[in-house]
Amino acid sequence: MNFPDCYKPRRQTCSVTVGNVQVGGNAPVVIQSMTNTHTADVAATTQQIMQLANTGSELVRITVNDNDAAAAVVKIREALDKNSCFVPLVGDFHFNGHKLLTDYPDCAQALAKYRINPGNVGKGKKRDAQFATMIELACKYGKAVRIGVNWGSMDQSLLAELMDENAGLAEPSDAHNVMLETVIRSALDSARQAEALGLGKDKIILSCKMSVVQDLVTVYRSLAERDDYALHLGLTEAGIGSKGIVASTAALSMLLHDGIGDTIRISLTPEPGAPREKEVIVAQEILQTMGLRSFVPLVTACPGCGRTTSTYFQELASQVQNYLRTQMPAWKEKFHGVEDMSVAVMGCVVNGPGESKHANIGISLPGTGERPVAPVYEDGEKTVTLKGDNIAGEFEAVISAYIERTYKSRAMKNEK
């Protein structure tokens, strides 16, 4: 039986180099994030950037909103380089970016990309002059620019113009559709203005962030049809906890499935005490679940039911997942392809052996009333049965040995 290929090919976009990272073209979808420290606090900002980069953020954006923040950028870059953290930094500018980039040339040079919001550059004649200043500095220093429109801070003069045009039509469009068109036009018009000022298309990334899933999908599909600029995806103000994760996943998955998107950020409101790096992990899991990239072995685990009254398999699944993520940086250096490995942690005899056999390595724990033993399967074959009080530790050792045996040999073959 033949099944149609449900995935659309990646949309071909202009390739943009941001520091040491390629965005667009044939490059994989790039993950980025943003700090929430005061940028003027060099130590705290440097530490958070390193945490985000170590988790897997390939670009990190920082707020540059005043003189102290602009002066701190060079110090942050130097501290990162000293710690062998070479992640490119993106400067987030609103309202006074033209002045800060002019007054702090070291800041302008230390950043790999400038983020400009057309709606927050200025008003009237000042807008064109201030936008031009930022673009000219990007040209001078060879920097990429993200022209990022947010629905909450769109160009009000353009909105008024399009509303007036719409009102004069014989069959006016819905006001909401005019608002969506304003967002798209603001991005495209600004990009073409930047090109007219000398910034190459290979230095421009566009984004049109919305806070409603359906609006985001509509805007990006339209944007992708109109030009081949590299696109940054993200649901802005996505929310806190599961709401933010679900909304971001729903929106980005539809667009990524359509082949739209060259770089993504998951804009989660941090829960109290939650690490900032969570947004990076969610981005990785979206891309890996969509089959677009691999970062860490995926763990398949059953949801539990009346047959699995013990919480042990839940605890083991969580422990194994944490173990894999913790070990992954060292494994990736030594073992080629280990990020594609699949692991199963199952809780009873119903689906346990089957799922475990289909994974590269899996364990089937006993359910309620079953024999207190846990068979382990490697590439479909049962290799050992674990029992006793240290199943977790023993299973981690089995995983480690499997990786050493399987992926080291693959790495040696690739070297040859």
Side-chain angles (χ1 to χ4, degrees):
M1 182 179 294
N2 295 319
F3 293 94
D5 184 1
C6 61
Y7 287 94
K8 294 182 181 178
R10 279 282 302 283
R11 168 178 167 267
Q12 287 301 298
T13 58
C14 215
S15 177
V16 180
T17 301
V18 183
N20 56 11
V21 174
Q22 182 186 343
V23 176
N26 295 318
V29 179
V30 172
I31 292 175
Q32 58 182 281
S33 56
M34 185 174 183
T35 58
N36 62 355
T37 56
H38 292 293
T39 305
D41 187 339
V42 173
T45 303
T46 300
Q47 181 181 17
Q48 190 173 81
I49 291 169
M50 291 178 63
Q51 290 169 341
L52 291 166
N54 289 338
T55 304
S57 184
E58 293 152 315
L59 300 174
V60 177
R61 183 157 45 114
I62 58 177
T63 297
V64 187
N65 60 332
D66 57 26
N67 293 338
D68 290 340
V73 170
V74 173
K75 298 175 185 176
I76 292 167
R77 181 71 270 168
E78 289 173 349
L80 292 170
D81 292 345
K82 190 176 293 185
N83 284 281
S84 299
C85 179
F86 304 111
V87 62
L89 298 180
V90 180
D92 190 69
F93 294 98
H94 296 271
F95 310 112
N96 60 353
H98 62 290
K99 182 169 175 50
L100 294 174
L101 286 170
T102 300
D103 292 348
Y104 293 89
D106 288 347
C107 166
Q109 294 182 67
L111 295 168
K113 184 173 74 169
Y114 310 152
R115 192 274 195 186
I116 305 175
N117 184 337
N120 288 343
V121 172
K123 295 182 180 180
K125 292 181 179 179
K126 285 186 177 180
R127 178 197 180 280
D128 288 342
Q130 291 171 182
F131 181 82
T133 296
M134 298 183 75
I135 296 301
E136 287 164 0
L137 287 167
C139 293
K140 177 180 179 180
Y141 297 119
K143 304 300 181 179
V145 170
R146 171 159 75 95
I147 296 174
V149 181
N150 277 40
W151 80 274
S153 54
M154 70 180 74
D155 186 338
Q156 293 300 312
S157 60
L158 179 60
L159 176 61
E161 178 186 330
L162 295 183
M163 283 290 188
D164 288 343
E165 287 180 7
N166 183 61
L169 297 176
E171 296 183 7
S173 181
D174 179 86
H176 185 72
N177 291 334
V178 177
M179 185 272 286
L180 298 182
E181 178 65 18
T182 302
V183 170
I184 298 167
R185 278 276 303 275
S186 179
L188 289 173
D189 290 353
S190 297
R192 285 159 189 159
Q193 184 180 356
E195 286 193 75
L197 291 165
L199 191 67
K201 206 170 194 178
D202 62 345
K203 295 291 186 182
I204 298 173
I205 298 172
L206 296 188
S207 70
C208 291
K209 290 191 172 183
M210 315 294 287
S211 61
V212 176
V213 170
Q214 294 87 342
D215 290 345
L216 188 84
V217 173
T218 298
V219 164
Y220 271 93
R221 283 176 174 167
S222 180
L223 194 61
E225 288 176 355
R226 301 192 196 190
D227 217 311
D228 63 349
Y229 292 105
L231 297 180
H232 167 93
L233 302 187
L235 189 74
T236 191
E237 298 139 12
I240 192 168
S242 60
K243 187 270 178 184
I245 294 172
V246 170
S248 295
T249 303
L252 270 61
S253 294
M254 282 191 276
L255 291 167
L256 292 167
H257 182 275
D258 286 347
I260 298 170
D262 301 292
T263 177
I264 66 171
R265 186 209 168 187
I266 308 302
S267 301
L268 298 180
T269 302
E271 296 182 73
R276 188 68 168 176
E277 304 93 280
K278 187 171 184 179
E279 66 177 44
V280 179
I281 294 171
V282 172
Q284 290 178 331
E285 290 177 345
I286 290 173
L287 293 178
Q288 188 152 355
T289 302
M290 293 291 294
L292 296 172
R293 292 186 67 181
S294 295
F295 300 95
V296 65
L298 289 178
V299 176
T300 299
C302 63
C305 66
R307 294 185 180 87
T308 56
T309 51
S310 169
T311 60
Y312 185 72
F313 86 92
Q314 300 164 2
E315 295 163 0
L316 178 60
S318 177
Q319 184 172 331
V320 168
Q321 186 158 282
N322 290 335
Y323 174 73
L324 294 172
R325 186 166 286 281
T326 301
Q327 297 296 317
M328 193 60 206
W331 284 343
K332 199 164 186 178
E333 291 293 320
K334 296 170 59 180
F335 306 121
H336 177 75
V338 67
E339 64 272 16
D340 295 315
M341 185 178 73
S342 59
V343 179
V345 179
M346 304 300 293
C348 81
V349 74
V350 174
N351 290 322
E355 287 283 1
S356 297
K357 289 177 182 177
H358 282 100
N360 292 119
I361 186 165
I363 186 170
S364 179
L365 294 169
T368 304
E370 296 176 17
R371 286 181 61 224
V373 295
V376 173
Y377 298 85
E378 299 179 29
D379 294 325
E381 300 293 330
K382 186 169 80 169
T383 57
V384 67
T385 298
L386 305 180
K387 54 187 174 181
D389 298 328
N390 191 31
I391 288 178
E394 291 177 5
F395 186 54
E396 288 178 1
V398 172
I399 292 174
S400 181
Y402 175 86
I403 290 172
E404 182 79 31
R405 183 175 65 253
T406 304
Y407 293 95
K408 188 172 184 178
S409 61
R410 293 183 184 179
M412 291 171 64
K413 287 179 182 177
N414 286 340
E415 288 174 4
K416 291 177 182 178

